[in-house]
Amino acid sequence: MNLVDRFGRPLRSLRISVTDRCNLRCQYCMPEPEYVWLPREDVLSFEEISTLADAFIDEGVDRIRITGGEPLLRRNLPILIESLAAKKRIADLALTTNGLLLKTHAAALKSAGLHRVTVSLDTLHRDRFRALTGSSDHDAVLAGIDAAAAAGFTPLKLDTVVIRGVNDDELIPLIDFARRVDAEVRFIEYMDVGGATRWSPAAVVPRAEMLETIGRHFGGVIPLGGQGSAPAERFLLPDGRTFGIIASTTHPFCSDCDRARLTADGIWLLCLYASAGTDLRRPLRAGATLEEIRQLIHTVWSLRADRGAEERLGLDRQTTLIPVRALKKDAHLEMHTRGG
Ligand code: SF4
């Protein structure tokens, strides 16, 4: 019988973080001046990641997304991509990047067998990009998007975290930009996850408001439906273009969540909001067999009852999820460690 958790949700999707380091400091993810990093010796080797991926695949995973931090900071990443792409039971192998280094690596990632790329793009304005990320390299992100398209990663996906008063006036320009670069943009509600220490309810632009703004401009929006366990709801515009909304904050999709997360040091998290995870690095390095790790995954997932975003929705949400002092004590609580 297929593995399911306590709410009947299968294990199908695995996000693998390959580094907790990032070359941007986005206000919604890493706004603090200093961070505690994972010890380098704890970071999994490509061989270890591949072995753990095999165990997850045996338990039902057929979609893998490579994340960070910024995954393109991990040296020789195409070697890992190649080994994952060779696993025939993986139907979808994707990567999420901030795009800064994508121009350099897009062709090699394509050659290695990567299926899809998602690029984070929160603004089309250089000055806003600098204020939002601390980087002046907006042009590099745009060049990375062009390079990904040229390498054959089409249609690309662009992810935009929408924050009130920061970039909520860019919904229409981003849809227009996406068409020019053969991409589909997905607008993500600002989430109160660990690391989002500047989050406030007032900064969230709800799905309904985004749809109202977009529909008013384009003369209507048609829901496409059928997203299954995918986080993005997709919509069709009268001119045939599509876009997505990930309404994690106002309309959580926990009931369909088939996602697990593996941190760069091998901690397996059952939910973006989980306060702790299962250490898979320790048994792996202690010599556990693939079968023993598979069994551990089976047992832990079958007990899973996480539905973090839904629980947050029912609470008084006037504060951030985790105070800065707690984040400084445990890097695993940070979104940039959990792979977003
Ligand atoms: S909050 Fe947790 S359970 Fe809900 S969709 Fe996100 S990862 Fe899945």
Side-chain angles (χ1 to χ4, degrees):
M1 209 175 88
N2 285 345
L3 172 63
V4 291
D5 69 7
R6 275 157 65 177
F7 295 137
R9 300 170 296 186
L11 171 57
R12 289 202 53 205
S13 165
L14 179 65
R15 299 174 69 100
I16 301 176
S17 168
V18 292
T19 178
D20 59 333
R21 310 285 165 136
C22 192
N23 43 7
L24 294 182
R25 289 293 178 272
C26 297
Q27 287 296 304
Y28 54 81
C29 182
M30 300 182 75
E32 300 302 317
E34 294 197 358
Y35 284 91
V36 177
W37 306 106
L38 300 176
R40 283 188 185 273
E41 63 274 18
D42 287 354
V43 172
L44 299 179
S45 68
F46 289 161
E47 291 75 16
E48 289 171 327
I49 292 173
S50 178
T51 301
L52 292 179
D54 283 335
F56 278 101
I57 290 167
D58 281 347
E59 286 302 316
V61 163
D62 65 357
R63 297 194 304 265
I64 289 184
R65 179 171 290 274
I66 303 299
T67 70
E70 168 47 43
L72 298 184
L73 288 176
R74 180 77 187 252
R75 209 169 295 165
N76 299 322
L77 188 66
I79 293 174
L80 174 66
I81 298 294
E82 206 168 330
S83 88
L84 295 175
K87 300 182 194 300
K88 296 300 170 214
R89 286 178 290 167
I90 297 180
D92 185 32
L93 180 60
L95 173 136
T96 296
T97 171
N98 63 30
L100 272 185
L101 301 173
L102 192 51
K103 184 177 177 192
T104 308
H105 297 290
L109 292 168
K110 186 71 181 171
S111 303
L114 185 68
H115 301 168
R116 297 191 299 119
V117 171
T118 300
V119 184
S120 298
L121 181 69
D122 298 313
T123 179
L124 296 169
H125 299 289
R126 277 198 200 122
D127 53 339
R128 281 188 187 176
F129 182 79
R130 197 176 307 116
L132 194 57
T133 69
S135 163
S136 308
D137 266 347
H138 190 243
D139 288 350
V141 177
L142 300 183
I145 290 170
D146 286 343
F153 289 114
T154 50
L156 265 179
K157 284 205 175 113
L158 303 177
D159 276 359
T160 303
V161 176
V162 182
I163 304 175
R164 190 177 304 285
V166 174
N167 62 352
D168 54 335
D169 58 347
E170 293 194 57
L171 302 179
I172 311 305
L174 280 161
I175 289 174
D176 287 338
F177 174 82
R179 168 150 72 181
R180 289 203 299 278
V181 295
D182 196 7
E184 180 175 282
V185 64
R186 308 187 310 172
F187 299 114
I188 304 173
E189 289 179 349
Y190 188 10
M191 293 179 73
D192 60 342
V193 289
T197 51
R198 309 281 156 89
W199 183 89
S200 77
V204 177
V205 180
R207 173 182 79 162
E209 188 178 330
M210 291 191 228
L211 286 175
E212 156 72 17
T213 303
I214 295 167
R216 199 179 333 116
H217 180 86
F218 289 105
V221 164
I222 301 164
L224 286 172
Q227 79 253 31
S229 63
E233 295 170 82
R234 296 179 68 239
F235 299 89
L236 179 68
L237 295 169
D239 63 6
R241 280 182 284 174
T242 54
F243 67 96
I245 293 185
I246 301 181
S248 333
T249 303
T250 64
H251 291 76
F253 29 82
C254 302
S255 58
D256 289 319
C257 180
D258 58 9
R259 265 176 302 289
R261 292 177 156 77
L262 188 65
T263 64
D265 62 343
I267 305 298
W268 174 34
L269 298 158
L270 301 178
C271 176
L272 190 49
Y273 288 86
S275 56
T278 302
D279 187 347
L280 298 180
R281 181 189 76 248
R282 202 175 294 268
L284 184 67
R285 291 190 177 171
T289 64
L290 186 63
E291 173 57 23
E292 286 166 337
I293 291 173
R294 189 195 63 71
Q295 193 53 247
L296 176 60
I297 291 170
H298 190 97
T299 303
V300 171
W301 188 267
S302 64
L303 296 172
R304 176 188 189 236
D306 297 68
R307 45 184 199 90
E310 282 182 358
E311 285 170 355
R312 292 292 291 170
L313 196 58
L315 297 176
D316 170 9
R317 313 185 61 187
Q318 299 310 303
T319 57
T320 52
L321 177 68
I322 302 170
V324 176
R325 63 182 178 284
L327 291 170
K328 286 196 183 309
K329 285 191 194 137
D330 185 358
H332 296 101
L333 297 171
E334 298 273 7
M335 181 161 67
H336 67 264
T337 307
R338 303 182 158 206

